[in-house]
Structures are given as C-alpha cells and as structure tokens.
Amino acid sequence: HDPDHLEDIDSVYSAIISAIKYAEATLHSRPRRHFDPLPGWSEYVADLYRQSREIRALWLQHGKPRGNQLHNMLLRSKAQFKYALRWVKRHENSLREDRLAKKMIENGSGRPFWSEVTNIQNSKLPLPSTMDGISGDLDIANSWKDHYSALFNCLHRTTTLEDISLCDDPPHHLEINVEQVQDAIKALKLGKCGGADGISPEHVLNAPELLTIILSFLFTSCLMHCYLPNDLMTVVLCPVVKDKSGPLSSKSNYRPIALASILSKVFESIILNRLETVLLTSDNQ
C-alpha cells in the first residue's frame, strides 16, 4: 500500500515504452499486406507503371541528367502513367462492373463471381455527416465518448484491492519468469494494430532479450502489488459498422473494437497460460 511503489511501477512502464519508441529506427520493415488493385490496373496501368520505373532507374544510373533525351523519356513515361491512372480512377465503377460481368460469363455464379461481389460490398463506406442527430466532428466524437463511457462502466466494481487474497500469496507464487514472457511474445501475431502507445508486435518481437528480463520484473511487481499502470490498460475504441445496408448514422448499428496495448496482450497471455489448468468451461462455450 505504499504509493511510492505504485509510482515506481508507472515510471518503469513509461520508461519501457519510451525506450521501445527510441529504438524504433531499428525496427524491421513490416511484410507487405495484400491489396486489391484498382479495376483496370493490369490492363491499362501496370505496363506503363513498370516502364516508368525502368526508365527512372536508368535515369538515376546516369546521374539524373536534365534536358537530354533520357530525361524527356522519363517525363513522357511519367505523364503517360499518371494519365492512365487518372483514367482508371475516373472509370472505376464501370471497370468494376465490367470485371464482374466477365467473371459471371466465364465462371457462371461460381466462387470467383461471389468473391468479386464480396470485394465490392467490402469497399470503404463513406462516413456519415451526422450521428443520432448530432453533427460536427468534435460533437460526434464526444457523443461516442459518452456512449462508450456509459456502456463499459455499467457494472460497478464491488471489490477493492484489500479484498483480493492474491496480494497475500507467497511471492514465489506470483513470480513471472523470463521464459513465460518469451513464450507470450512469440505467440504475438505480426501485422496487428497497436494500442494508444503506438507499440506494435514487431517492436517487442525484434527487441533484445533484455526487454523480456525487464518485463518479467515489471509483471511480477504488478502481481505482487495488485496494481496495473493506467497506460497499460488504455485501449483505443473503434466503432465498426454491423450492417452496411442499415442506418450508418445510428450508434445502434455499430459495435466497438478495442485495440489494446501490445504489452497488455503479453501480460494477459501469461496469466491465461498459468490459469488454464484451473479454468473449467462447458462444451457450449
């Protein structure tokens, strides 16, 4: 119950986050994500894009000359590529419909056809200008804040830290060792969004072993003091549309996705692994 101890835990956690961000320059590049190219890209743009890249590489090899034939070829290839790209963007809807009709003719109503339908349906929806009659970016954001504050605080805490018998357990029962931290970090999935602190799975997966040692001390201290830093528990709530054909300006048509901090996921994984032998559930869950 010494407040200085709790402040020390907060300070250690903040220092860990700061150190990870400071070392971000050494972070390995993330793997490229698959993306669905613009309809018509392969037919009208891809060759011009490749040609423009090749001419640019040749121009760079010759020291970026100006005013000669190579430079004129570079300018012409860039102009052709940009013109084709603008044309494809202007005719995106009609090209998408043509591609859909082509797949319908070639494959009937098979899997390629319905995959294309799914891609069209999953296209980015425009943001509504009002939400439950409220307009303005700031007012809408505040209404979401009030909505989620009421929703996620509807169950009030009935216990206090003094009621938790965990704090009276022998210290060796609460110890989290380096191996447990390493196993939890290895279980993280790449390419996932981080939380409010901006730390991604790649940050901790590429960190040196020293980080796992410090985290083992931190998590053990959290258990022994029955305390978690507020920054560790902060999440980013993202409203996601439930029914895209439903009213986009109604809060009832959204479900929240919570983006938790990566270190909290590591801690949760350790706790779940230690509790799995005593957790019982039914076949219906």
Side-chain angles (χ1 to χ4, degrees):
H1 305 288
D2 189 336
D4 291 340
H5 291 190
L6 307 187
E7 291 179 5
D8 288 340
I9 292 177
D10 286 335
S11 297
V12 170
Y13 180 77
S14 298
I16 291 173
I17 298 301
S18 298
I20 292 176
K21 288 184 176 179
Y22 182 78
E24 189 170 7
T26 64
L27 179 64
H28 296 188
S29 60
R30 296 189 182 185
R32 281 190 171 184
R33 295 187 178 182
H34 172 75
F35 69 97
D36 184 32
L38 287 170
W41 172 273
S42 300
E43 297 86 348
Y44 304 102
V45 183
D47 290 340
L48 294 173
Y49 174 72
R50 186 164 46 252
Q51 180 183 359
S52 176
R53 297 281 293 182
E54 292 173 353
I55 296 176
R56 174 175 171 78
L58 186 62
W59 178 69
L60 292 175
Q61 289 177 1
H62 285 76
K64 301 180 181 180
R66 298 282 180 174
N68 62 0
Q69 184 179 2
L70 183 59
H71 186 229
N72 294 334
M73 289 175 58
L74 174 65
L75 296 178
R76 187 164 54 252
S77 64
K78 286 177 63 176
Q80 291 173 343
F81 159 68
K82 290 184 177 180
Y83 176 81
L85 182 61
R86 288 195 299 268
W87 186 88
V88 165
K89 288 182 177 180
R90 284 199 304 268
H91 298 82
E92 179 178 355
N93 291 334
S94 61
L95 290 171
R96 195 179 296 277
E97 292 170 357
D98 291 343
R99 189 168 71 178
L100 184 63
K102 183 178 180 181
K103 290 190 176 182
M104 181 67 177
I105 295 173
E106 293 176 351
N107 304 288
S109 56
R111 187 169 184 176
F113 172 78
W114 288 111
S115 297
E116 185 65 23
V117 172
T118 301
N119 289 335
I120 295 175
Q121 291 178 340
N122 288 337
S123 59
K124 188 174 182 180
L125 294 172
L127 291 175
S129 58
T130 62
M131 185 61 62
D132 288 337
I134 299 174
S135 59
D137 294 346
L138 183 60
D139 291 337
I140 291 176
N142 287 330
S143 70
W144 277 115
K145 176 184 175 182
D146 296 338
H147 174 68
Y148 285 136
S149 295
L151 179 64
F152 292 112
N153 292 289
C154 58
L155 298 178
H156 299 285
R157 183 188 296 274
T158 58
T159 60
T160 62
L161 292 180
E162 290 78 5
D163 300 325
I164 301 177
S165 60
L166 179 66
C167 298
D168 299 324
D169 282 359
H172 65 273
H173 288 172
L174 306 178
E175 180 183 358
I176 293 178
N177 57 44
V178 174
E179 289 73 18
Q180 291 171 330
V181 177
Q182 289 175 340
D183 291 341
I185 289 178
K186 291 178 182 177
L188 293 173
K189 295 181 180 179
L190 296 174
K192 296 295 182 179
C193 291
D197 54 17
I199 303 300
S200 68
E202 288 81 357
H203 282 97
V204 293
L205 284 166
N206 292 315
E209 186 178 359
L210 178 61
L211 177 63
T212 61
I213 298 173
I214 298 175
L215 288 178
S216 68
F217 289 145
L218 172 68
F219 293 153
T220 300
S221 299
C222 289
L223 287 181
M224 294 181 68
H225 290 78
C226 297
Y227 176 77
L228 293 173
N230 286 331
D231 290 343
L232 177 71
M233 303 303 295
T234 300
V235 300
V236 177
L237 290 174
C238 300
V240 178
V241 179
K242 294 179 184 177
D243 182 8
K244 294 183 179 181
S245 61
L248 299 182
S249 59
S250 173
K251 290 190 183 74
S252 60
N253 193 29
Y254 292 80
R255 59 186 176 90
I257 298 295
L259 302 179
S261 64
I262 296 301
L263 293 187
S264 73
K265 292 182 180 180
V266 173
F267 187 57
E268 289 175 2
S269 178
I270 295 170
I271 298 299
L272 287 176
N273 288 335
R274 293 183 62 169
L275 294 180
E276 63 180 355
T277 58
V278 295
L279 289 177
L280 300 177
T281 184
S282 70
D283 294 336
N284 294 330
Q285 286 185 309

